Amino acid sequence: MDWNDENLPLPDEPKWWHATIRFPGDAGATPKAATALAAALSGWRFHFLRKEGNLRLRTERPAADLLDQLVADEVAAGWVGGIYEPEIETFGGEQGMAIAHEVWCADSPAALAETGSPYARERCILLLSTMNRAAGLDPFEISDVWATFGNLRPAIDPPQVAYQASAITAMRRLVHADAAKRDTTEPGWPDRVAAFEDAGRRLARLATSGQLRRGLRAVLAHHAIFAFNRAATPVAEQAAAAWLGWNVAFGDGNPATVSSSQSAPVTLIFKRMESTITTTDPAELRNTMVDKLTGSGHLRTPEIIDAFRDVERHRFIPEVEVVAAYVDDAVSVKNDRDGEMISCISAPSIVATQLEQLGAEPGHKVLEAGAATGYNAALLGRLVAPGGRVWTVDVDTDLVNTAAKHLAAAGASNVTALLADGAAGLPAHAPFDRIQFTVGAGDIPLPVLNQLAPDGRLVIPMRIRGSISRSFAFERDGDGETWKTVSCEMATFVPLRKGVCDDVRTVVPMAGEGNVRLETYGEQLVDREAMRTVLDEPSHQVYTGVKFRQGSAWEWVYLWLACVLPNGLSRVPGRRPGFTPHFGWGSMAALDGDSLAYLTVREGEDTVSRFWEIGVIGHGPRAADLAEQVAAAIQEWDRDYGNDAPAPGFRMAMAANRDLLKAADSRFVIDKTNSRLVIDWP
């Protein structure tokens, strides 16, 4: 049978013969018993399910004599016949059930024979990932499949912080790997991979044609349940895989649990996910990382590319595995007493973005606020040599000492790490040609601007209104009293602490089942008590007609909403029953007194392509009014600008000169304590 033939018709569904097999000692199918059963079934078309220590076998023809012989051989303790009741609706209808039987029969012989063998969980993830990709899901949708699967498993504690990065990295390798290209494979592996790929394609076609009676991702999540069952993966390890799969795309470092189910939590230290696909050679990993960042456009300047190839990132985070050091992830290096991350080494793509914004050159004097591990400062040291110097500062003695140690080991002799508040700058060493903040600010620190050379550049991540943060590269405008951006990129950083311009965040945990929380910032008005229970209030839903397609950027509609809505825009991450955000990690939301409205989407396809229509769901006494207000703002943005318009520009002035900046639409004038920011939409 050619599994790659997309036009291959499904065979008529057989009437499956069913038996429940019991094993000696009620210990389930041991590796020895499973091997014997698999050998006896060689050449048969069958599928099976492990249940309560027994094995439920379904075959195309009666297997009574075969099972009687296994009992006589003491492989099985007994068996009883029964009636097979397929879960037709669970798998999307009769056609979806037929596809399930096809892939189960392709997988079952090997899965049974491999009972007790190492890496069954990893093989299962490779196969399921093949199916998800073949179904046409993007990485976020795939992570949502894992989230749906996780909601059907017991809740467990996430891994200890020290293990999170390496575990997620290993899961990412498995999720994105080409299962067909494993160097060493078990008998029948290519056929299993082809079967899962074929099943994914067929399910996608059913979904597209409206013949799948259940959501595609929900069906795929149930395939995960059955596949892990065949692989004899313990339920706690299934839940661990679900947590990791969700965090591959949506992790923010602190989800409370894997699942919103009511099962008792299971403390589990995640074992390392094994894969034979990725090298562990640091130089090769580093070059691969740089190649990806160059291909994605994050790295463009030859000198910065060379610095990335030369500076060994893994030396600055020795506590994580080498492979994890070269994945495009941030790595926490310090948490507060509540477990919140307060210092990290930023994701390589973010580091690259800011260095491209900064434009440091040989001979420059550079101040960096936010030393962390010293990695970014080491890159800066390479860029300003020869003749330049870098000062990197932090507010924690332990971080400064660690950064200094790493920098010395890296031979960065032109970089100095000091204990200081970045918002106050370093007046003794001013003026600086470049000043870079690798921490988020709530406003522009005036002392820093005064320490910048006349033709200098400031790169600083700053929140605009609520949860919308961008990394601004400011230079003086012609009059010297106002500033303009030469670059502005969407980015979020760990906030400033212990000084002026701190980016103060307030977190409001939502009541009820799940782990949804509201994140707001200092300039927003928040009714904390009302927000705790607002999702339990009646809802109002409205769709906008605004369509986002694959690759559409959300950053500009976020920015627009943050400006035009009276209370900015907030993040609402997490999951709970009935909460249907526009992304798997959660959603963006508008607040108005005792009411909240968050973004959602619904999927469709037109003559152009697949799309996601933006909707708004309101909760609270003003649910309808607020949802309609947000929807109208989205429609205004789409009508007047949309994603096809050029990016807006940004101008800035300090408080004393704020009246020098005007805008045709006052909604796009953002006044802060120290500064005024004007957004110029084209």
Side-chain angles (χ1 to χ4, degrees):
M1 180 176 289
D2 182 4
W3 292 102
N4 291 316
D5 183 358
E6 293 195 12
N7 298 311
L8 186 69
L10 288 171
D12 293 334
E13 273 282 86
K15 293 183 178 179
W16 297 96
W17 187 84
H18 172 93
T20 299
I21 307 171
R22 184 168 53 85
F23 295 90
D26 292 324
T30 63
K32 181 178 179 180
T35 300
L37 177 58
L41 289 167
S42 178
W44 289 58
R45 189 166 183 266
F46 72 94
H47 58 93
F48 72 94
L49 191 71
R50 304 175 198 267
K51 194 77 170 180
E52 298 172 350
N54 299 323
L55 189 144
R56 296 181 180 180
L57 176 68
R58 289 86 188 234
T59 59
E60 277 193 316
R61 61 182 190 270
D65 292 343
L66 182 150
L67 295 181
D68 285 341
Q69 185 60 51
L70 289 175
V71 172
D73 294 340
E74 299 184 347
V75 172
W79 66 272
V80 61
I83 297 173
Y84 172 50
E85 297 179 288
E87 298 178 43
I88 294 173
E89 295 306 317
T90 297
F91 288 94
E94 288 81 3
Q95 294 186 72
M97 193 73 249
I99 292 170
H101 286 146
E102 287 288 314
V103 72
W104 295 352
C105 287
D107 187 51
S108 287
L112 181 60
E114 292 166 5
T115 298
S117 66
Y119 309 136
R121 173 183 60 177
E122 285 75 11
R123 288 192 294 271
C124 191
I125 293 169
L126 286 169
L127 292 170
L128 291 169
S129 298
T130 297
M131 178 186 282
N132 290 336
R133 290 195 302 272
L137 303 189
D138 64 33
F140 295 101
E141 293 169 319
I142 290 172
S143 284
D144 193 60
V145 171
W146 288 108
T148 303
F149 169 55
N151 279 331
L152 301 171
R153 303 293 84 187
I156 65 169
D157 294 334
Q160 299 173 15
V161 172
Y163 298 103
Q164 285 188 12
S166 59
I168 293 171
T169 295
M171 183 69 174
R172 182 177 286 109
R173 298 204 308 270
L174 291 170
V175 167
H176 295 310
D178 186 342
K181 293 183 178 179
R182 289 176 61 206
D183 294 334
T184 304
T185 61
E186 300 74 23
W189 178 256
D191 290 338
R192 294 166 77 185
V193 173
F196 276 81
E197 185 175 18
D198 179 77
R201 286 198 301 264
R202 290 181 183 277
L203 287 170
R205 289 204 299 273
L206 288 181
T208 300
S209 63
Q211 299 178 74
L212 198 65
R213 298 207 296 259
R214 194 171 181 230
L216 175 60
R217 279 173 265 176
V219 171
L220 291 169
H222 258 85
H223 272 286
I225 292 174
F226 278 62
F228 278 116
N229 176 280
R230 291 192 299 274
T233 303
V235 69
E237 291 192 20
Q238 295 181 35
W243 188 93
L244 292 168
W246 181 81
N247 274 273
V248 163
F250 296 124
D252 62 0
N254 56 357
T257 60
V258 175
S259 166
S260 59
S261 68
Q262 294 299 303
S263 302
V266 178
T267 300
L268 180 69
I269 295 178
F270 287 37
K271 296 180 180 178
R272 179 180 174 185
M273 305 288 288
E274 296 291 344
S275 172
T276 61
I277 297 168
T278 305
T279 179
T280 57
D281 177 67
E284 188 174 340
L285 290 167
R286 190 162 55 256
N287 283 325
T288 298
M289 176 190 77
V290 173
D291 291 343
K292 289 180 179 179
L293 293 175
T294 304
S296 65
H298 290 94
L299 284 174
R300 301 181 298 277
T301 304
E303 292 78 9
I304 302 177
I305 293 172
D306 290 343
F308 263 74
R309 292 196 191 279
D310 291 341
V311 177
E312 298 178 310
R313 189 173 188 255
H314 68 284
R315 303 290 186 189
F316 292 82
I317 39 176
E319 66 277 8
V320 306
E321 294 182 7
V322 171
V323 172
Y326 292 103
V327 173
D328 193 24
D329 277 338
V331 177
S332 176
V333 296
K334 187 171 184 177
N335 294 66
D336 65 15
R337 65 183 61 186
D338 297 321
E340 290 287 330
M341 183 169 64
I342 57 176
S343 183
C344 73
I345 181 171
S346 295
S349 59
I350 295 294
V351 176
T353 295
Q354 275 211 317
L355 290 180
E356 290 285 356
Q357 288 185 296
L358 192 68
E361 298 176 358
H364 274 172
K365 292 170 58 179
V366 179
L367 170 64
E368 180 199 22
T373 66
Y375 174 66
N376 189 78
L379 291 166
L380 286 171
R382 294 295 181 98
L383 294 174
V384 302
R389 285 204 60 81
V390 177
W391 289 265
T392 182
V393 301
D394 216 303
V395 294
D396 292 332
T397 302
D398 57 338
L399 293 177
V400 172
N401 291 341
T402 300
K405 177 182 176 182
H406 291 160
L407 289 163
S413 58
N414 63 343
V415 182
T416 302
L418 296 173
L419 183 68
D421 178 8
L426 282 178
H429 299 285
F432 298 100
D433 300 289
R434 298 287 188 267
I435 298 178
Q436 179 187 8
F437 277 67
T438 54
V439 286
D443 202 347
I444 301 291
L446 179 59
V448 167
L449 284 185
N450 291 336
Q451 295 171 34
L452 199 60
D455 58 349
R457 182 180 298 176
L458 168 68
V459 172
I460 184 168
M462 185 172 64
R463 293 195 181 273
I464 297 175
R465 296 187 73 233
S467 293
I468 303 306
S469 176
R470 302 190 68 84
S471 180
F472 295 89
F474 286 115
E475 289 184 351
R476 287 180 174 86
D477 212 342
D479 56 13
E481 301 296 334
T482 60
W483 301 72
K484 64 181 179 181
T485 54
V486 294
S487 172
C488 184
E489 301 288 346
M490 192 170 182
T492 301
F493 285 77
V494 171
L496 276 168
R497 295 178 292 120
K498 302 182 181 180
V500 298
C501 299
D502 289 1
D503 193 14
V504 180
R505 183 178 72 166
T506 299
V507 177
V508 181
M510 301 289 204
E513 189 177 350
N515 63 343
V516 177
R517 61 194 182 276
L518 171 67
E519 297 177 358
T520 65
Y521 289 83
E523 69 269 32
Q524 295 178 280
L525 301 175
V526 185
D527 184 338
R528 294 174 62 91
E529 290 307 312
M531 289 300 102
R532 291 185 193 280
T533 57
V534 70
L535 292 181
D536 296 322
E537 296 289 326
S539 66
H540 176 82
Q541 180 172 286
V542 58
Y543 280 91
T544 63
V546 176
K547 299 175 181 178
F548 271 48
R549 302 185 187 274
Q550 188 73 38
S552 296
W554 288 84
E555 59 179 310
W556 302 123
V557 70
Y558 288 166
L559 177 63
W560 180 275
L561 293 175
C563 293
V564 305
L565 296 175
N567 206 14
L569 205 60
S570 299
R571 282 180 93 243
V572 187
R575 289 178 286 164
R576 62 172 275 170
F579 179 54
T580 55
H582 69 310
F583 279 129
W585 60 261
S587 191
M588 304 301 290
L591 314 178
D592 186 5
D594 53 6
S595 300
L596 174 147
Y598 67 88
L599 303 186
T600 188
V601 292
R602 62 182 176 188
E603 191 174 336
E605 188 167 0
D606 56 21
T607 56
V608 177
S609 69
R610 190 177 179 195
F611 65 80
W612 292 265
E613 181 188 359
I614 307 177
V616 187
I617 299 176
H619 287 270
R622 296 192 60 253
D625 289 344
L626 184 57
E628 296 289 346
Q629 181 183 10
V630 176
I634 294 170
Q635 291 164 339
E636 180 189 8
W637 167 81
D638 185 62
R639 181 184 66 247
D640 295 346
Y641 298 97
N643 271 328
D644 294 331
F650 301 84
R651 293 175 288 144
M652 185 271 292
M654 297 307 290
N657 298 316
R658 68 171 75 242
D659 290 340
L660 296 176
L661 294 185
K662 307 291 184 182
D665 189 333
S666 62
R667 295 179 300 175
F668 303 108
V669 176
I670 311 298
D671 278 321
K672 295 177 176 287
T673 302
N674 297 342
S675 64
R676 167 174 285 185
L677 183 71
V678 173
I679 303 168
D680 297 313
W681 293 88

